[in-house]
Amino acid sequence: MPVVVIGLSHRTSPVEVRERFALPESAVPEALRQLRAGSAAAEAVILSTCNRVEIYAATDQDAGAACASVRAFLQERAGSQPLDNLVYAHGEPESLEHLFRVACGLDSMVLGEYQIVNQLKQAYQLAHEQQTTGPVLHRLFHHAFGTGKRIRSDTGIADGKTSLPSVAADA
């Protein structure tokens, strides 16, 4: 079952666009239900923070069709805003690499940021509570969490300033 990730982040879109897509935690369960009701996702997790909105989906479709379906889901939220250069979509193995980079703090505005790991864990937990995860995303996310923990402890990547406010305070 292929895993895809579709999203937008600080690397691809300005903050005002990300704010339009951000989901409050209370809206995530309904969005997860909508994703599962469509044909795009057999399993799904939505990560929604101030710096990124990402949908991870394990799918019975081929990766291209699944990416198109989830992208259409995001486009509905965008209204008339064109998403062409704002959204990234990855099938395997890039989707797996992306998740691990996020879990390790390598895809953050501040290298080694730990807050994203907590947000990722909360997103997974919410999806698990909504029963939108299964064996594929369960195994994948737990491996990503373990890898992130190991990277932080073995490399010292999280030593020093690892949050945007702490970096800004020093500027």
Side-chain angles (χ1 to χ4, degrees):
M1 184 176 294
V3 174
V4 299
V5 61
I6 295 84
L8 58 159
S9 74
H10 62 281
R11 297 187 191 281
T12 63
S13 61
V15 67
E16 56 272 3
V17 172
R18 293 190 313 266
E19 286 175 347
R20 288 200 11 242
F21 285 92
L23 292 168
E25 188 174 334
S26 61
V28 172
E30 179 59 28
L32 287 166
R33 280 192 287 280
Q34 290 173 359
L35 276 169
R36 290 284 307 276
S39 60
E43 302 176 27
V45 173
I46 298 174
L47 174 62
S48 182
T49 73
C50 58
N51 287 324
R52 68 182 69 242
V53 175
E54 295 177 338
I55 298 172
Y56 295 88
T59 178
D60 294 324
Q61 299 179 346
D62 68 82
C67 285
S69 295
V70 176
R71 188 180 178 97
F73 175 81
L74 280 176
Q75 184 63 61
E76 286 177 26
R77 294 190 52 77
S80 61
Q81 167 80 44
L83 297 179
D84 297 334
N85 298 320
L86 303 176
V87 175
Y88 45 87
H90 303 299
E92 289 183 15
E94 293 85 3
S95 60
L96 309 180
E97 292 170 6
H98 180 80
L99 174 61
F100 278 70
R101 288 182 60 77
V102 171
C104 292
L106 299 174
D107 192 56
S108 298
M109 290 181 81
V110 176
L111 187 65
E113 174 199 10
Y114 190 75
Q115 183 179 15
I116 189 61
V117 177
N118 289 331
Q119 293 166 330
L120 194 58
K121 286 179 180 180
Q122 290 170 350
Y124 171 80
Q125 183 62 38
L126 181 57
H128 180 72
E129 290 168 2
Q130 297 300 313
Q131 299 178 341
T132 63
T133 60
V136 173
L137 292 184
H138 175 79
R139 187 172 330 131
L140 176 62
F141 273 75
H142 284 277
H143 279 295
F145 298 146
T147 300
K149 182 177 181 178
R150 183 164 181 204
I151 292 293
R152 280 183 178 72
S153 64
D154 289 357
T155 67
I157 192 173
D159 294 348
K161 304 293 183 191
T162 58
S163 71
L164 200 53
S166 65
V167 170
D170 284 350

